[in-house]
Amino acid sequence: MQKGAPDNERLTHYLKTTVVVKHWIEEVLVIKLSSDLLDSFRNGVVLCYLMNEIQNRIVIPRIQEKTTQVFKLKENITAFLLACDEYGVHKARMFRPLDLYERKGEVLVIECLFELATLAAQRGFRPAIQNPEQYTGSVPSLSAAERNRISSQLAQLKDKRKAIRNVPRISPEIFKRRMEYLTGTRTIDWATLEKRLTLFQALARSYVKQKKYKKRVRDQGYREYVAREIMLTEKGYLTSLQVCTKYYRAPLEEEAMKPPPVPQNMGANGSAIVTIAPAAPFVTKDDVGVIFSNMNLLIGLSTELLGDLNKRIDSWNNRQLIGDLFLKIVPHLKIYTQYLANYNAAHLRLNSLKQNPQFAAFLSGLKTNHTDDIKKMDVTSYLIMPVQRVPRYNLLLRDLAKHTWPEHPDYSNLLSAADEVEKLANFLEDKTRFSEDLLKLTEISTQVADIPFTLAKPSRRFVRESNLPDQRQSVFLFNNLILVARHKKKKTRNRIQREMGTTERPTCQLM
């Protein structure tokens, strides 16, 4: 009884682990697994989707679902194991594809999944898996044959890990002496033994090459996935710019082209003629130019890039190139500099125009009378897309380069293109920050009166604004200046302002 007690404890712990693993996967993927858990995992599809969900991105892009061919189903399991290895699951907890597909190591499969769930929880993934020791529910009932099989696997697993932990490192001389002692002779045929060791090394190298090949197959699938994502996101980006031009810019340009009203209220004999003058345009050419900047140039550049990407994707193969297309357009991406430098001014001008009832009516009319795309997104959502596009190029190119092997003809192109795009993205970010700072300095200059110097300078950066506890002073912190503004109330003679109260305009005092 005492000898079997630890075995029963290990079996009970395994069954609890199986239950909590099942509940965790069901909660993560929002699915219902069958009572035979290994049968749900046997084709590897659930495991692949689980790994993609844990990492919140596509790490296994090619999942073999609509097939019954055994070697393709085993590809799913192999892809999952490679992803587990990259995620950091300990090799001692990993299983072989046959352990799952032929049910030769179901204990190791469950332990691997529990190790993966534990590691994911440590990295902040939610929902977290429950501790098996804290599980108080029911566990699956097993037949005598199943209990013996699982108990045997648990015992073998324990003995194997114990043996691995207890193997010491020994020198070649000690190894020879031990071999002589074990064989009972000092006349060991070391030449034959060396040949066998050489054969073993060849098998080990073959295993490494096979593992590298499996990773190469997965990287090939991932490369195609990322390349198609670049193409599809570029298509969506271009479509959005074209929608913005068609439904916003073109009508506003047409409105701005309207001639100003010329009232004619005198007849030929001097008698009054009642005429209705055309309404004045509610936007000007300058308004349209500030809001949309050089969006037409961005559309042209995106059209050219999308055409090249379509040609490459249509003839896709494992040695197809993408990086050279971005190296070609990198010099032209600098046109985004003008758009980003103007973006904050466009945002301010747009907010100012929204105060105009005619302009507001124009925007609301688009929401009511046009397509679902217009109803879902307003003009500001379209205007920010070019600001986000260059950083998105950088992320996609880095992802593509990460899954491209050094021997691939596109590897150096991708690294060079990603570096150039990253430099441009950083430059654009600096320009955007500089523009934001300049606008903030200008805004403070108009809010605070009696500043005896020029506040808006290229070298000055706004850091923070805060009100003092008495609410009568504001502090503006800059990189090279602290400005304290004291609020001074001024009574007005305007009847409307008098009814609403007094107005305040801060005057400043330097510290």
Side-chain angles (χ1 to χ4, degrees):
M1 291 294 294
Q2 293 179 352
K3 184 178 179 180
D7 294 337
N8 290 333
E9 290 178 1
R10 285 200 299 270
L11 180 59
T12 303
H13 184 272
Y14 164 76
L15 294 176
K16 288 183 176 181
T17 305
T18 302
V19 174
V20 298
V21 165
K22 179 176 182 291
H23 291 170
W24 177 71
I25 295 177
E26 289 178 338
E27 189 175 1
V28 171
L29 297 181
V30 195
I31 59 174
K32 187 67 177 177
L33 299 175
S34 66
S35 57
D36 187 351
L37 196 56
L38 262 68
D39 187 62
S40 301
F41 299 153
R42 190 167 181 261
N43 58 11
V45 174
V46 172
L47 300 180
C48 290
Y49 279 111
L50 176 65
M51 182 56 73
N52 288 342
E53 188 68 25
I54 289 175
Q55 302 203 40
N56 197 25
R57 62 187 180 92
I58 304 298
V59 293
I60 306 177
R62 185 179 296 172
I63 302 176
Q64 306 287 353
E65 295 186 72
K66 300 178 181 179
T67 181
T68 57
Q69 298 182 10
V70 175
F71 77 95
K72 288 189 175 182
L73 297 179
K74 289 182 179 179
E75 283 183 6
N76 291 335
I77 304 174
T78 302
F80 170 76
L81 293 172
L82 288 173
C84 285
D85 185 37
E86 293 179 356
Y87 194 67
V89 177
H90 197 281
K91 294 185 183 299
R93 302 285 182 180
M94 303 279 280
F95 61 90
R96 301 171 304 167
L98 289 179
D99 291 335
L100 173 57
Y101 196 81
E102 297 183 5
R103 306 178 73 100
K104 292 183 176 180
E106 52 195 294
V107 171
L108 200 53
V109 174
I110 298 300
E111 287 207 357
C112 177
L113 291 172
F114 181 75
E115 177 82 3
L116 174 64
T118 304
L119 188 59
Q122 293 173 355
R123 297 181 180 181
F125 179 77
R126 294 295 180 270
I129 193 167
Q130 182 183 4
N131 188 339
E133 298 294 338
Q134 299 175 353
Y135 177 74
T136 57
S138 60
V139 296
S141 58
L142 302 176
S143 63
E146 290 173 332
R147 291 178 67 89
N148 291 335
R149 186 180 74 252
I150 294 176
S151 297
S152 175
Q153 291 183 19
L154 287 169
Q156 291 176 5
L157 188 61
K158 179 182 177 181
D159 295 340
K160 177 182 177 182
R161 288 176 179 166
K162 183 177 179 181
I164 292 175
R165 286 195 301 268
N166 294 335
V167 172
R169 293 179 177 271
I170 58 176
S171 66
E173 289 298 324
I174 295 177
F175 172 74
K176 289 182 179 181
R177 297 293 178 268
R178 288 186 177 181
M179 290 294 293
E180 291 173 353
Y181 174 77
L182 291 173
T183 57
T185 177
R186 291 181 176 272
T187 58
I188 296 178
D189 188 357
W190 292 106
T192 303
L193 182 60
E194 184 178 356
K195 290 181 181 179
R196 293 178 179 177
L197 289 175
T198 303
L199 177 61
F200 174 77
Q201 291 176 343
L203 292 174
R205 285 194 295 268
S206 175
Y207 169 77
V208 172
K209 288 182 179 180
Q210 185 181 21
K211 186 176 180 180
K212 184 178 179 181
Y213 169 75
K214 291 177 180 179
K215 186 177 185 301
R216 178 72 57 84
V217 170
R218 195 189 68 165
D219 284 343
Q220 289 172 353
Y222 197 88
R223 270 181 50 82
E224 182 178 0
Y225 169 80
V226 177
R228 291 188 181 279
E229 184 178 5
I230 294 174
M231 184 265 292
L232 292 174
T233 55
E234 189 67 27
K235 183 178 180 180
Y237 170 65
L238 176 59
T239 301
S240 296
L241 295 188
Q242 291 171 338
V243 168
C244 182
T245 299
K246 178 179 178 180
Y247 291 103
Y248 287 103
R249 181 168 189 163
L252 290 176
E253 285 180 338
E254 184 179 351
E255 176 68 22
M257 293 294 292
K258 288 183 179 179
V262 181
Q264 298 177 358
N265 56 3
M266 296 297 294
N269 55 1
S271 61
I273 300 176
V274 179
T275 59
I276 301 177
F282 55 82
V283 292
T284 63
K285 293 180 182 179
D286 181 65
D287 292 332
V288 177
V290 170
I291 293 173
F292 298 99
S293 188
N294 61 341
M295 186 178 287
N296 287 339
L297 295 179
L298 304 184
I299 291 176
L301 181 62
S302 180
T303 301
E304 179 183 354
L305 177 60
L306 181 61
D308 292 338
L309 287 172
N310 281 329
K311 293 177 183 178
R312 299 290 175 89
I313 299 300
D314 289 342
S315 58
W316 183 261
N317 58 71
N318 292 332
R319 299 182 66 80
Q320 186 61 277
L321 305 180
I322 294 293
D324 61 318
L325 298 180
F326 283 89
L327 285 176
K328 184 177 71 172
I329 69 164
V330 160
H332 305 291
L333 289 177
K334 293 182 179 179
I335 63 175
Y336 279 85
T337 305
Q338 178 183 346
Y339 187 91
L340 266 70
N342 184 71
Y343 176 73
N344 290 312
H347 191 68
L348 293 175
R349 184 70 62 91
L350 187 62
N351 288 338
S352 176
L353 286 172
K354 286 181 179 179
Q355 307 303 317
N356 186 327
Q358 290 179 290
F359 189 83
F362 166 76
L363 295 180
S364 63
L366 287 176
K367 294 282 186 181
T368 305
N369 302 323
H370 287 83
T371 63
D372 291 338
D373 293 334
I374 298 295
K375 293 178 182 179
K376 293 177 183 177
M377 299 170 58
D378 58 9
V379 63
T380 55
S381 300
Y382 290 106
L383 294 179
I384 200 173
M385 287 183 176
V387 178
Q388 302 168 334
R389 192 56 189 164
V390 174
R392 184 72 184 276
Y393 286 146
N394 181 41
L395 293 176
L396 291 170
L397 288 173
R398 291 290 180 193
D399 200 17
L400 189 59
K402 179 181 176 182
H403 292 85
T404 301
W405 46 101
E407 299 83 9
H408 195 282
D410 201 28
Y411 184 73
S412 59
N413 290 337
L414 288 172
L415 291 181
S416 300
D419 290 340
E420 293 297 324
V421 172
E422 184 176 16
K423 290 178 184 177
L424 178 61
N426 293 335
F427 173 75
L428 294 176
E429 184 179 358
D430 292 340
K431 293 286 289 184
T432 303
R433 190 182 299 113
F434 173 78
S435 178
E436 291 174 351
D437 286 339
L438 195 59
L439 283 173
K440 184 63 178 178
L441 293 173
T442 305
E443 179 185 348
I444 295 173
S445 298
T446 58
Q447 289 178 350
V448 181
D450 304 331
I451 300 180
F453 54 85
T454 302
L455 184 63
K457 291 184 178 180
S459 60
R460 184 161 293 144
R461 297 286 181 270
F462 172 76
V463 178
R464 185 178 178 184
E465 175 184 354
S466 180
N467 290 326
L468 296 181
D470 60 4
Q471 297 296 321
R472 294 185 59 82
Q473 288 182 328
S474 295
V475 179
F476 301 92
L477 178 62
F478 305 90
N479 63 326
N480 57 2
L481 178 70
I482 298 177
L483 187 66
V484 178
R486 179 179 292 111
H487 295 268
K488 183 178 179 181
K489 293 184 178 181
K490 291 185 178 181
K491 294 183 179 180
T492 64
R493 296 182 180 180
N494 185 290
R495 181 179 61 83
I496 298 177
Q497 290 179 339
R498 188 165 59 249
E499 292 175 356
M500 295 177 62
T502 58
T503 60
E504 294 181 353
R505 190 181 183 201
T507 57
C508 75
Q509 174 186 347
L510 296 182
M511 294 184 62

